[in-house]
């Protein structure tokens, strides 16, 4: 196949809400360009991009799929993404490497919650973006409503390039950049080009003039030209539109019927002629602080943005050439590991079909197989100076489950499979909790979890069970308490003897030093699980040798790792060791460790012990008309509403909620709001558990 340079490579990603028609639009563009001779459909399970078995089962995109097409001497790399927020990792990684974002709307529904969620990610990257209103020929299509939604999203920078019209029963599109009317037959395809009808001239002229002004605003030379001539020609408008897109200050709006092949050729022409190419992008700063030179002559640097495992092929690594060029059999260095990787093969991927190529130039997207130690987010660069592309930042998990193999002898197999799933989708987070003694899986929601289960069963052949994770409670005390313990053991020869007297108190930041003790030493221990142990040596007269104090502290710390109420970690206690006894022969470190542990445990149980629970800071974005039901549900979860803000027609609820009450919240919120609300949460603090709940937890 022909090798394209960075001026003739257009990398676009199709994003949008579920059922907006992204996959169908991609299929139609491949058909229009002649890369396929028959268009598949999602329903018949034969599209190029939705080729995974799970996508056929679900009837929806689960993975982001790279494709490509060639149109009028340009190469257009297309990444077709899922529309469901559960698969946000696929969406974010695709946005990261795209040069232009194509946001697809369903003309029946306009801007949906899924559109808004994805827009937030697009906006974070400030990528050039255009909007495509799809299904304009549907009986319930409403272009005006869709455009109002776009304006609510991006402001007055939305610019109509096209709007739909029906003339004598035929679907037409009025193009105010070219000032033409495109009339389509019922079968779609190549339209008939007509003058704009008389009854549409006033509207078309108004929109054309608005587009001229928006184009002129983004380039000083064009602005001067506009003031001089009062207008701009089509080529000048293209320059201004591209500048506006690059500045993230102009958002062209197109309309199509992807299913019936209306308008896709014109959209591809705009992508070719106007949408920014790889060469147009702003310079990118590396982790090392250098500016990445996007030139063919520069040292090679590839960014791996996606990893896929296929049973027949193994690991497929998708990358974007960030600088230089890459050839088959090149040896490149992984900046994270320092390992050298050999790229034995280079491919252009269209779904599951791969086409071998000898090289790829800067700006292009390709794939290679079976890299040894390269994962998603890694940079491969030419030997010499290190280059590290800034990694993709993925959102934190919103759903957590404890996972284990149904068959105990498959635990290792499960662990290996989960590592591969994480590498393929970094929004799946796997962590073994030493505290809970559970393997915890974090993901984006119940649908995401169902997909993980399917992959484990069908791809890796391992059956796993998913349960509610235990809660990482903490134990502490509410008052002071004294205790002493004598450890004495005699079993022939040298025995064990130690006696420890100590006092414990609740610790808090800034508290005064203890009174009534001769303080001879103080040690503050920052506990791995949060909080502190403050340990005082208050021994007088050498009744316990100083060399045994570390052993006493060690015994106390062992008890603090498994508290006497629920086995949870203990935190925020200070201990004063003030008396005891030792034996010149039988005393040793073990004896004082045991004595210290028992004395601390007894004192702890007499110090009004209290359970603390983790509190999450929860932010919920919910449509105004649904806020009542959401708040009622939150109150049933022992939440405290800390604030309410308004953004457009949404309410933003900020709450503090016990972690134990958030189990299943993702599913419940989706059910309450028909999927129109979103949330995120982060750990906030530990707070005291209500007495009735503590009693049940201690009992169990």
């Amino acid at each position: 196949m022909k090798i394209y340079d960075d001026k003739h490579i257009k990398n676009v990603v199709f994003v949008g809400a579920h059922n907006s028609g992204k996959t169908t639009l991609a299929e139609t563009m491949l058909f229009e360009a002649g890369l396929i001779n028959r268009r598949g459909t999602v329903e018949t399970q034969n599209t190029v991009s939705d080729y995974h078995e799970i996508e056929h089962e679900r009837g929806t995109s689960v993975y982001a799929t790279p494709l490509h097409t060639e149109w009028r001497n340009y190469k257009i790399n297309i990444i077709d993404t899922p529309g469901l927020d559960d698969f946000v990792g696929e969406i974010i990684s695709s946005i990261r490497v795209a040069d232009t974002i194509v946001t697809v709307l369903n003309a029946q529904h306009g801007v949906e919650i899924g559109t808004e969620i994805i827009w937030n990610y697009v906006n974070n990257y400030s990528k050039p973006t255009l909007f495509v209103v799809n299904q304009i020929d549907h009986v319930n299509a409403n272009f005006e409503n869709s455009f109002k939604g776009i304006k609510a999203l991006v402001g007055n920078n939305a610019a109509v390039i096209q709007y739909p019209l029906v003339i004598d029963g035929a679907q037409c599109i009025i193009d105010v950049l070219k000032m033409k009317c495109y009339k389509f037959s019922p079968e779609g395809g190549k339209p008939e080009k007509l003058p704009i009808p008389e009854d549409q001239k006033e509207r078309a002229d108004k929109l054309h003039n608005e587009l001229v002004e928006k184009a002129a605003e983004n380039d000083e030379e064009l602005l001067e030209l506009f003031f001089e001539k009062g207008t701009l020609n089509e080529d000048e408008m293209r320059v201004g539109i591209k500048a506006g897109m690059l500045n993230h200050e102009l958002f062209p709006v197109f309309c199509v019927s992807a299913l019936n092949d209306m308008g896709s050729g014109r959209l591809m022409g705009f992508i070719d002629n106007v949408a920014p190419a790889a060469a147009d992008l702003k310079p990118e700063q590396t982790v090392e602080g250098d500016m990445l030179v996007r030139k063919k002559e520069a040292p090679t640097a590839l960014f791996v943005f996606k990893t896929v495992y296929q049973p027949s092929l193994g690991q497929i690594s998708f990358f974007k050439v960030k600088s230089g060029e890459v050839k088959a059999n090149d040896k490149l260095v992984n900046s994270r590991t320092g390992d050298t990787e050999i790229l034995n093969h280079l491919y252009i991927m269209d779904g599951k079909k791969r086409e071998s190529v000898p090289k790829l130039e800067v700006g292009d997207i390709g794939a290679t197989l079976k890299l040894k130690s390269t994962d998603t987010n890694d940079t491969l660069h030419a030997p010499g100076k290190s280059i590290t592309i800034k990694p993709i930042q993925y959102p934190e998990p919103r759903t957590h489950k404890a996972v284990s193999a149904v068959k105990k002898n498959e635990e290792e197999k499960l662990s290996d499979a989960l590592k591969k799933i994480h590498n393929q989708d970094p929004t799946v987070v796997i962590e073994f909790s030493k505290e809970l003694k559970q393997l915890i899986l974090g993901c984006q929601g119940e649908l995401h979890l169902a997909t993980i289960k399917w992959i484990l069963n069908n791809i890796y052949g391992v059956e796993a069970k998913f349960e509610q994770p235990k809660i990482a409670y903490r134990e502490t005390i509410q008052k002071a308490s004294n205790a002493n313990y004598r450890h004495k053991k005699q079993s022939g020869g040298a025995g064990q003897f130690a006696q420890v007297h100590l006092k414990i108190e609740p610790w808090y930041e800034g508290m005064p030093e203890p009174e009534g003790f001769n303080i001879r030493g103080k040690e503050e221990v920052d506990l791995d699980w949060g909080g502190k142990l403050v340990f005082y040596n208050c021994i007088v007269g050498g009744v316990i040798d100083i060399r045994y104090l570390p052993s006493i502290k060690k015994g106390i710390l062992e008890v603090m790792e498994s508290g006497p109420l629920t086995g949870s970690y203990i935190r925020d206690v200070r201990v004063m060791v003030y008396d005891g006894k030792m034996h010149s022969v039988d005393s040793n470190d073990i004896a004082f460790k045991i004595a210290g542990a028992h004395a601390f445990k007894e004192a702890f149980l007499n110090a009004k012990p209290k359970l603390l629970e983790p509190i999450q800071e929860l932010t919920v974005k919910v449509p105004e008309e649904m806020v009542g039901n959401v708040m009622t549900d939150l109150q049933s979860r022992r939440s405290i509403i800390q604030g309410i803000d308004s953004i457009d027609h949404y309410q933003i609820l900020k709450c503090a909620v016990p972690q134990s009450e958030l189990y299943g919240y993702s599913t419940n919120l989706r059910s309450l709001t028909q999927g129109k609300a979103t949330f995120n949460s982060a750990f906030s603090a530990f707070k005291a558990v209500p007495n009735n709940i503590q009693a049940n937890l201690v009992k169990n």
Side-chain angles (χ1 to χ4, degrees):
M1 103 170 242
K2 182 179 175 182
I3 304 299
Y4 289 83
D5 63 28
D6 59 341
K7 293 182 179 62
H8 292 84
I9 296 170
K10 302 295 178 92
N11 297 308
V12 301
V13 56
F14 288 177
V15 301
H18 180 55
N19 281 336
S20 56
K22 302 179 294 297
T23 299
T24 303
L25 179 58
E27 191 80 4
T28 298
M29 286 173 66
L30 266 61
F31 174 75
E32 272 285 325
L35 267 76
I36 55 176
N37 54 28
R38 182 179 178 183
R39 288 192 299 154
T41 67
V42 173
E43 292 74 22
T44 53
Q45 302 178 358
N46 60 347
T47 61
V48 175
S49 61
D50 282 1
Y51 67 90
H52 295 87
E53 185 182 346
I54 187 173
E55 293 176 319
H56 293 166
E57 280 192 20
R58 302 275 170 86
T60 186
S61 299
V62 171
Y63 299 103
T65 305
L67 315 162
H68 93 284
T69 186
E70 296 172 73
W71 188 252
R72 296 171 185 166
N73 207 33
Y74 282 85
K75 180 183 182 185
I76 305 176
N77 289 317
I78 302 168
I79 306 178
D80 178 28
T81 66
L84 294 166
D85 191 32
D86 281 50
F87 307 116
V88 67
E90 300 283 333
I91 300 168
I92 292 173
S93 60
S94 303
I95 290 172
R96 179 71 164 77
V97 296
D99 306 329
T100 299
I101 316 300
V102 177
T103 303
V104 184
L105 308 184
N106 183 326
Q108 301 171 64
H109 309 301
V111 171
E112 303 172 68
I113 184 66
T115 319
E116 295 182 12
I117 292 167
I118 293 166
W119 168 251
N120 290 333
Y121 294 114
V122 173
N123 211 23
N124 285 342
Y125 283 109
S126 295
K127 289 285 181 94
T129 304
L130 62 90
F131 289 85
V132 176
V133 181
N134 186 24
Q135 301 184 32
I136 54 167
D137 54 346
H138 193 280
V139 66
N140 295 322
N142 189 331
F143 178 83
E144 300 305 322
N145 183 58
S146 298
F147 184 66
K148 284 179 184 175
I150 294 169
K151 285 189 74 173
L153 208 61
V154 306
N156 290 325
N157 292 327
V160 171
I161 302 286
Q162 299 175 330
Y163 66 89
L165 187 70
V166 176
I167 302 175
D168 298 329
Q171 182 64 58
C172 299
I173 293 175
I174 305 295
D175 191 307
V176 302
L177 173 58
K178 288 184 169 294
M179 292 302 283
K180 295 285 184 185
C181 173
Y182 298 106
K183 182 179 179 181
F184 294 90
S185 70
E187 295 78 30
K190 190 172 182 179
E192 183 181 356
K193 295 181 183 178
L194 301 171
I196 293 174
E198 285 297 324
D199 64 347
Q200 294 296 315
K201 278 190 175 180
E202 184 178 347
R203 181 184 181 187
D205 284 341
K206 181 175 180 291
L207 291 171
H208 177 81
N209 291 334
E210 288 177 4
L211 187 59
V212 168
E213 290 179 15
K214 283 183 167 67
E217 288 170 359
N218 289 283
D219 186 288
E220 289 186 9
E221 290 183 10
L222 287 178
L223 194 59
E224 289 181 11
L225 198 60
F226 172 69
F227 286 140
E228 181 183 319
K229 298 195 309 181
T231 189
L232 298 175
N233 64 34
E234 187 179 328
D235 287 337
E236 291 161 348
M237 289 172 71
R238 286 197 189 106
V239 172
I241 292 169
K242 177 186 280 190
M245 291 179 71
L246 282 166
N247 293 334
H248 202 57
E249 292 179 351
L250 197 155
F251 305 95
V253 179
F254 285 79
C255 53
V256 302
S257 171
L259 183 64
N260 293 315
D261 191 10
M262 298 175 180
S264 55
R266 173 71 181 99
L267 177 62
M268 285 193 285
F270 181 85
I271 291 171
D272 278 357
N273 297 322
V274 182
D280 298 319
L281 296 185
K282 297 173 184 176
E284 182 175 354
Q285 190 177 50
T286 66
V287 170
E288 291 82 5
D290 302 320
M291 299 309 293
L292 194 66
V293 180
R294 289 197 182 94
K295 291 183 179 178
K296 177 182 175 181
E297 299 76 23
T300 301
L302 315 180
F303 179 65
V304 178
F305 68 94
K306 179 178 173 62
T307 305
V308 173
Y309 290 93
Q310 286 189 8
S312 57
L313 293 176
Q315 177 177 318
I316 307 173
S317 299
F318 291 86
F319 59 82
K320 183 177 184 180
V321 185
K322 288 286 193 172
S323 66
E325 62 179 15
V326 60
K327 301 184 183 70
N329 299 313
D330 272 358
K331 295 180 179 180
L332 300 177
V333 178
N334 184 314
S335 65
R336 175 178 60 86
T337 65
D339 294 341
T340 297
E341 299 275 20
I342 303 175
L343 282 69
N344 292 313
H345 303 280
L346 294 179
Y347 297 106
I348 297 298
M349 301 291 289
D350 290 306
K352 63 183 176 182
K353 180 186 173 186
R354 62 188 192 276
E355 180 180 351
S356 185
V357 292
K359 72 173 182 176
L360 293 168
E361 293 198 0
V362 59
D364 214 341
I365 288 174
T368 190
L369 301 180
K370 299 177 182 176
L371 297 178
K372 296 181 300 180
S373 58
T374 296
D375 298 333
T376 300
N377 256 344
D378 281 348
T379 302
L380 299 177
H381 62 83
K385 186 178 180 182
S386 181
I387 301 172
T388 308
I389 308 298
K390 290 182 179 178
I392 301 163
Q393 300 298 315
Y394 292 98
E396 293 295 318
R398 293 175 295 188
T399 296
H400 292 85
K401 292 280 187 177
V403 57
S404 59
V406 171
K407 298 176 182 176
K408 289 300 177 187
N409 63 349
E410 290 189 341
E411 289 289 353
E412 188 174 342
K413 186 178 179 183
L414 172 65
S415 178
D416 290 343
L418 289 172
K419 285 177 185 175
K420 288 180 178 178
I421 290 173
H422 165 73
N423 190 19
Q424 185 164 323
D425 180 1
T427 64
V428 179
V429 178
I430 314 296
E431 183 179 12
F432 181 77
S433 171
K434 178 185 172 186
E435 177 181 0
L436 304 177
K437 299 178 177 62
Q438 289 181 310
L439 187 63
I440 307 297
L441 180 145
C443 62
Q444 295 299 310
E446 293 299 322
L447 184 57
H448 197 196
L449 181 65
T451 302
I452 294 165
K453 289 179 183 177
W454 188 95
I455 294 169
L456 287 171
N457 288 334
N458 294 275
I459 304 298
Y460 297 109
V462 56
E463 189 178 355
K465 58 182 177 181
F466 296 84
E467 301 171 305
Q468 180 175 352
K470 298 172 187 174
I471 301 298
Y473 293 102
R474 296 288 183 267
E475 299 181 16
T476 193
I477 55 175
Q478 300 179 83
K479 69 173 189 176
S481 174
N482 289 66
N484 71 83
Y485 187 85
R486 173 182 287 198
H487 175 67
K488 186 176 182 180
K489 186 177 180 182
Q490 195 74 40
S491 57
Q496 291 183 4
F497 178 85
Q499 186 168 338
V500 172
H501 293 246
L502 53 76
K503 179 180 180 180
I504 68 173
E505 293 177 336
W507 174 86
Y508 59 88
E509 194 73 52
M511 70 186 301
E513 297 288 19
E515 296 180 357
F517 294 97
N518 188 347
I519 299 173
R520 307 175 73 84
K522 174 184 177 182
E523 185 178 353
E524 293 190 10
V525 180
D526 290 313
L527 303 168
D528 291 342
W529 51 88
K532 281 192 178 184
L533 164 67
V534 183
F535 184 78
Y536 289 91
N537 170 14
C538 302
I539 297 297
V540 178
V543 292
I544 299 176
D545 195 294
I546 193 170
R547 74 177 186 271
Y548 293 128
L549 286 170
S551 297
I552 296 172
K553 185 185 75 176
K554 189 175 181 181
I556 291 169
L557 282 168
E558 284 191 2
V559 176
M560 293 184 78
E561 286 197 31
S562 184
L565 290 182
T566 60
S568 304
Y569 289 133
I570 294 171
R571 60 177 287 165
D572 299 334
V573 177
R574 73 178 184 182
V575 180
M576 286 71 72
V577 179
Y578 60 88
D579 201 359
K581 291 182 181 178
M582 63 180 180
H583 188 275
S584 58
V585 176
D586 292 345
S587 290
N588 55 36
D589 287 326
I590 293 174
F592 273 100
K593 175 183 159 187
I594 293 170
H598 280 278
F600 177 79
K601 185 174 181 179
E602 181 182 332
F604 186 89
L605 289 169
N606 292 325
K608 202 177 178 183
K610 188 66 181 173
L611 269 184
L612 306 175
E613 63 181 341
I615 303 296
Q616 296 291 112
E617 186 179 283
L618 180 73
T619 303
V620 187
K621 183 179 181 183
V622 57
E624 289 174 347
E625 66 273 15
M626 298 176 173
V627 75
N629 289 339
V630 172
M631 287 186 72
T632 300
D633 178 65
L634 285 169
Q635 287 162 2
S636 74
R637 297 173 184 269
R638 296 193 285 128
S639 71
I640 298 172
I641 309 294
Q642 297 175 318
I644 302 176
D645 295 327
S646 295
I647 298 178
D648 298 325
H649 57 286
Y650 286 92
Q651 296 281 308
I652 311 297
L653 308 179
K654 296 180 180 179
C655 330
V657 189
Q659 188 185 91
S660 60
E661 300 288 350
L662 282 178
Y663 183 72
Y665 185 66
S666 175
T667 303
N668 205 51
L669 183 66
R670 181 170 288 171
S671 175
L672 281 172
T673 64
Q674 293 87 54
K676 295 181 179 179
T678 60
F679 78 96
N680 57 64
S681 69
F683 172 76
S684 174
F686 281 96
K687 300 286 186 183
V689 172
N691 291 334
N692 62 321
I693 295 176
Q694 175 167 323
N696 288 331
L697 290 168
V698 172
K699 189 189 302 180
N700 295 330

